[in-house]
Amino acid sequence: MWWPCGWEAVGVAYQPSPLAVGSSLPPLSRPQLAEARRVRAVELFEGGVSNAEIARAVGVCAESVRRWRRVWEEGGTYALRRRAATGRPPKLDDAQVEVVRAALAQGAQAHGFEAGLWTLERVGAVVERVTGVVLSRASIWRLLTGRLGWSLQRPERRAVERNDSEIARWVAHEWPRIKRGR
């Protein structure tokens, strides 16, 4: 069962949004909040509080508290601290990402492409040209959305022959005439 709790019960001063509060501090991330709960649980372990009370106080299930207590008893407080993400390190380091950012900021046409739109293939070609690293389409997407903060943008499709003044004339004169004719 999920127990509602205030962030104060976790021992953390939670800030929902710097924009909403006007604070310069960023809001706590999900992993930071999870670690804050575990740290608060350790304080309560040391105070002799029962698992059920700790679960209610920090807003988690009793099984999580039992698991945390077991880990704490075996490895101490350090064992409950957040660890860095595991997995393969990224192929591009931060300096290379900044080189790619600068290259992409020049625009697609500056790199010899006819249209000014970026595609994953085009970005991949630029990444390979400026860093020498070949990335898969999935890695290029993660680079763009995760590390560079880009989002998918689709160009508006419009006919080349489109004549906005003729459309306005038709809507103003022809359409009312057609509508009256019914």
Side-chain angles (χ1 to χ4, degrees):
M1 178 175 197
W2 179 261
W3 296 94
C5 70
W7 296 113
E8 297 79 24
V10 184
V12 175
Y14 177 69
Q15 296 172 324
S17 166
L19 299 175
V21 180
S23 170
S24 62
L25 294 174
L28 293 176
S29 68
R30 200 172 206 162
Q32 289 170 330
L33 286 173
E35 183 177 20
R37 282 189 173 114
R38 292 189 302 271
V39 168
R40 179 67 178 137
V42 167
E43 293 170 359
L44 296 172
F45 292 155
E46 293 169 345
V49 180
S50 73
N51 288 354
E53 292 177 53
I54 294 172
R56 279 191 293 277
V58 299
V60 298
C61 67
E63 178 56 35
S64 293
V65 176
R66 282 192 292 275
R67 189 177 63 249
W68 294 346
R69 186 180 293 269
R70 197 170 40 249
V71 170
W72 173 69
E73 288 170 348
E74 292 172 6
T77 305
Y78 183 77
L80 288 174
R81 290 289 184 181
R82 186 168 46 130
R83 293 185 254 306
T86 60
R88 183 180 183 147
K91 288 185 175 182
L92 299 177
D93 61 25
D94 292 339
Q96 289 172 313
V97 170
E98 289 309 313
V99 169
V100 170
R101 181 188 310 272
L104 296 178
Q106 295 171 355
Q109 292 175 330
H111 292 280
F113 301 109
E114 287 184 30
L117 301 175
W118 286 112
T119 64
L120 292 178
E121 289 78 16
R122 289 178 178 186
V123 172
V126 171
V127 168
E128 185 176 358
R129 190 177 312 138
V130 299
T131 65
V133 176
V134 177
L135 296 177
S136 68
R137 286 175 52 93
S139 295
I140 295 166
W141 179 254
R142 281 191 302 272
L143 169 69
L144 290 173
T145 59
R147 296 183 76 184
L148 295 177
W150 285 29
S151 63
L152 178 64
Q153 305 289 316
R154 295 198 187 271
E156 189 175 311
R157 297 196 180 265
R158 295 186 125 186
V160 176
E161 303 85 11
R162 181 181 173 106
N163 184 340
D164 289 329
S165 62
E166 180 60 25
I167 292 171
R169 186 202 63 75
W170 188 89
V171 168
H173 300 310
E174 298 298 321
W175 175 242
R177 183 184 60 76
I178 295 169
K179 201 170 176 186
R180 278 191 307 269
R182 286 189 177 173

